[in-house]
């Protein structure tokens, strides 16, 4: 059987896949078929085939792409350590050197995941990091779930890779390192590597662009206002909002992260969101600083946020900073619809519509959005984060899911009937 037919047969979902004995026999037959050509096959090609056969036991536990990456990685790692004429030694290590089938796959129905017990019993331990180093965050998470003997090594590699990219210091236990690395990789894909300059170097151009994007008065669109000695420089704004900074510090925020969250999250969301959507690195330092601050806070989150609200319209509305929210203006928006944000979300415990006059035109205005939060689970942040006594924020690249919709005049908040339609959503973002 050639390699192509083997691969096609392996990836088909047949009835034998649910029978460990049948699978073991098929793997053994594959190994025996390879033996028939052992005298004429190239040792390098023969080694690759043995590795491919060995990794077939991972089918159903991880994706095809993951298995192929593992095949190539193990192949490279092993050939760097063993001469080509020792292909037979590798075959013995992978098959247990006794003609048996490879270790069978035990299905854990409780967790709906496949666990290997054991996986590659004779594979040298020093090869495992060589294999896992080639995987991204999502693939590391899949391997950690599929292969118990590789779980700790996958977690260690994810933690080491994340710490090499961003300063973390002392963090609490229980962090899902693969999820945290996935969030870092998503930011890297969107805005590129971390710049060497500090985020406040981007303050002046970011503020000017924010003013223009949100339609604020043109008198504020002058860079001189935001330069170090300007009336709205970073230092001036921190002094102006010292009360908010003090509240965040007392609530447990690190001071430098509180400053970044307070200023960037309030005065730079539209500019950051625009360039994140375009894949531009113009405000990469500010994007990383803001997301780092929120993720660090999320790691110490003890309680989920209450119901919070935000408007789609207005100078600081969701649709102004991120156009993806405009989809919710459609009255036929369906339950279960999902989309991803590119700008930070700001919300309040008080519905914006409560401060508006009760006029008939309000019922035709864009809807309010109500955010439902819950405690984080499995490395996914599912709650907005409190930044003041009444305000909450959510980092960009969050997944939004529509829960249900309430018509104008048919729902209440704080004992008042609201005359705007309300779209209720849940949130999730790796952190």
């Amino acid at each position: 059987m050639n390699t192509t037919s083997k691969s096609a047969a392996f990836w088909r979902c047949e009835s034998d896949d649910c029978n460990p004995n049948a699978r073991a026999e098929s793997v053994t037959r594959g190994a025996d078929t390879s033996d028939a050509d052992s005298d004429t096959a190239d040792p390098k090609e023969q080694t690759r085939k043995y590795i491919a056969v060995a990794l077939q036991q991972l089918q159903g536990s991880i994706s095809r792409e993951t298995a192929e990456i593992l095949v190539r990685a193990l192949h490279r790692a092993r050939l760097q350590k063993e001469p080509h004429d020792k292909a037979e030694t590798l075959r013995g290590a992978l098959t247990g050197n006794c003609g048996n089938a490879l270790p069978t796959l035990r299905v854990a129905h409780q967790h709906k995941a496949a666990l290997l017990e054991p996986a590659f019993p004779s594979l040298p331990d020093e090869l495992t990091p060589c294999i896992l180093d080639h995987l991204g965050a999502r693939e590391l998470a899949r391997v950690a779930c599929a292969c118990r003997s590789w779980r700790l090594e996958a977690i260690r590699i994810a933690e080491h890779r994340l710490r090499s990219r961003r300063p973390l210091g002392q963090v609490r236990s229980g962090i899902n390192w693969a999820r945290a690395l996935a969030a870092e990789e998503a930011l890297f894909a969107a805005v590129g590597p971390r710049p060497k300059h500090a985020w406040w170097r981007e303050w002046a151009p970011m503020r000017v662009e924010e003013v223009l994007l949100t339609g604020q008065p043109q008198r504020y669109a002058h860079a001189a206002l935001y330069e170090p000695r300007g009336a709205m420089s970073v230092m001036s704004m921190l002094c102006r909002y010292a009360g908010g900074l003090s509240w965040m510090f007392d609530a447990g925020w690190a001071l430098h992260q509180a400053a970044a969250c307070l200023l960037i999250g309030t005065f730079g969301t539209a500019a950051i969101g625009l360039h994140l959507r375009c894949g531009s690195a113009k405000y990469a330092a500010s994007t990383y600083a803001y997301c780092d601050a929120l993720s660090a806070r999320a790691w110490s989150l003890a309680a989920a946020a209450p119901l919070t609200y935000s408007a789609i319209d207005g100078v600081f509305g969701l649709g102004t900073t991120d156009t993806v929210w405009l989809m919710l203006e459609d009255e036929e928006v369906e339950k279960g619809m999902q989309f991803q944000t590119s700008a930070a979300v700001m919300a309040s415990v008080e519905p914006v519509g409560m401060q508006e006059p009760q006029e008939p035109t309000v019922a035709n205005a864009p809807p309010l959005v109500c955010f439902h939060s819950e405690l984080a689970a499995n490395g996914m942040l599912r709650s907005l984060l409190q930044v003041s006594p009444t305000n909450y924020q959510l980092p960009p690249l969050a997944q939004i899911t529509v829960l249900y919709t309430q018509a104008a005049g048919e729902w209440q908040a704080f004992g008042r009937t609201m005359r705007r339609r309300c779209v209720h959503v849940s949130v999730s973002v790796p952190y």
Side-chain angles (χ1 to χ4, degrees):
M1 181 184 295
N2 58 33
T3 306
T4 303
S5 58
K6 269 188 191 176
S7 177
F10 165 61
W11 292 112
R12 282 199 304 268
C13 183
E14 300 174 343
S15 58
D16 286 350
D17 291 340
C18 298
N19 186 341
N21 295 327
R23 181 179 300 177
E25 292 173 4
S26 65
V27 173
T28 305
R29 288 196 302 269
D32 294 340
T33 304
S34 299
D35 291 340
D37 301 330
S38 59
D39 296 336
T40 59
D42 178 68
K44 191 172 182 180
E45 178 66 16
Q46 185 179 348
T47 302
R48 190 195 67 78
K49 290 181 179 180
Y50 289 143
I51 297 171
V53 171
L55 290 176
Q56 285 185 3
Q57 61 185 305
L58 291 176
Q59 189 212 5
S61 305
I62 58 177
S63 66
R64 175 177 181 172
E65 291 76 14
T66 305
E68 291 176 347
I69 291 173
L70 289 173
V71 169
R72 293 193 298 268
L74 180 57
H75 177 55
R76 288 195 298 268
R78 189 63 183 180
L79 289 182
Q80 289 173 359
K81 292 180 174 292
E82 296 288 349
H84 290 174
D85 58 0
K86 292 190 178 181
E88 194 65 29
T89 303
L90 175 59
R91 180 207 169 196
L94 293 177
T95 60
N97 222 359
C98 56
N100 303 353
L102 290 168
T104 58
L105 204 62
R106 186 186 68 177
V107 178
H109 294 284
Q110 181 179 0
H111 302 287
K112 297 182 180 179
L115 302 177
L116 293 174
E117 188 179 299
F120 305 138
S122 302
L123 187 67
D125 292 339
E126 66 271 14
L127 289 186
T128 304
C130 298
I131 298 169
L132 299 183
D133 274 338
H134 293 270
L135 302 182
R138 295 183 183 277
E139 302 300 344
L140 282 174
R142 291 170 180 170
V143 169
C145 293
C147 184
R148 185 164 59 188
S149 63
W150 285 2
R151 176 177 173 80
L152 293 179
E153 186 63 30
I155 294 174
R156 187 196 66 78
I157 288 177
E159 179 182 359
H160 174 74
R161 197 178 298 172
L162 182 63
R163 288 185 179 277
S164 67
R165 293 189 178 190
R166 57 176 283 197
L168 293 179
Q170 189 69 26
V171 296
R172 68 171 179 83
S173 60
I175 292 176
N176 189 317
W177 291 106
R179 290 279 194 186
L181 180 61
E184 179 75 13
E185 289 181 351
L187 270 183
F188 180 86
V191 299
R194 290 175 175 266
K196 295 182 179 180
H197 61 268
W199 65 265
W200 52 83
R201 303 292 183 187
E202 302 170 352
W203 177 251
M206 181 178 68
R207 284 296 295 127
V208 171
E209 189 166 354
E210 181 81 6
V211 168
L212 297 175
L213 289 173
T214 55
Q216 299 178 48
Q218 293 293 311
R219 65 178 180 273
Y220 296 118
H222 297 286
L225 289 172
Y226 311 103
E227 296 294 346
R229 296 188 179 182
M232 296 182 180
S233 64
V234 170
M235 187 61 67
S236 298
M237 297 301 285
L238 289 177
C239 292
R240 184 179 301 182
Y241 292 94
L245 193 65
S246 176
W247 184 92
M248 295 178 74
F249 181 73
D250 292 341
W253 289 73
L255 192 57
H256 68 288
Q257 293 176 339
C261 182
L262 178 66
L263 295 189
I264 300 172
T266 307
F267 302 105
T269 54
I272 285 179
L274 174 64
H275 288 276
L276 196 149
R277 287 192 297 274
C278 298
S280 168
K282 186 174 182 180
Y283 303 126
S286 298
T287 304
Y288 276 109
Y290 178 70
C291 292
D292 287 352
L294 288 182
S295 66
R297 183 61 177 172
W299 284 341
S300 60
L301 185 66
L307 293 179
T308 52
Y309 302 84
S310 188
I312 292 181
D313 60 331
V315 174
F316 301 105
L318 296 173
T320 304
T321 58
D322 189 353
T323 55
V324 72
W325 289 99
L326 298 179
M327 294 190 301
L328 299 186
E329 292 184 348
D330 185 358
E331 294 188 2
E332 302 300 325
V333 61
E334 295 183 357
K335 176 183 177 181
M337 184 183 76
Q338 293 185 330
F339 57 88
Q340 187 179 56
T341 64
S342 58
V345 169
M346 293 184 292
S348 172
V349 293
E350 298 181 355
V352 178
M354 292 185 68
Q355 284 75 41
E356 296 184 342
Q358 298 295 303
E359 299 176 357
T361 55
V362 177
N364 299 322
L368 298 178
V369 178
C370 177
F371 294 92
H372 292 244
S373 297
E374 57 186 75
L375 285 176
N378 299 322
M380 295 296 291
L381 176 64
R382 304 181 187 277
S383 171
L384 278 73
L385 300 170
Q386 189 172 19
V387 296
S388 77
T390 59
N391 295 325
Y392 293 75
Q393 294 184 12
L394 185 72
L397 301 179
Q399 188 81 6
I400 307 297
T401 303
V402 175
L403 300 177
Y404 59 92
T405 302
Q406 290 177 309
E410 297 183 357
W411 64 286
Q412 292 185 340
F414 298 98
R416 297 189 60 177
T417 299
M418 306 304 298
R419 302 191 63 188
R420 279 198 183 198
R421 187 166 57 92
C422 185
V423 180
H424 294 254
V425 302
S426 63
V427 302
S428 64
V429 58
Y431 72 103

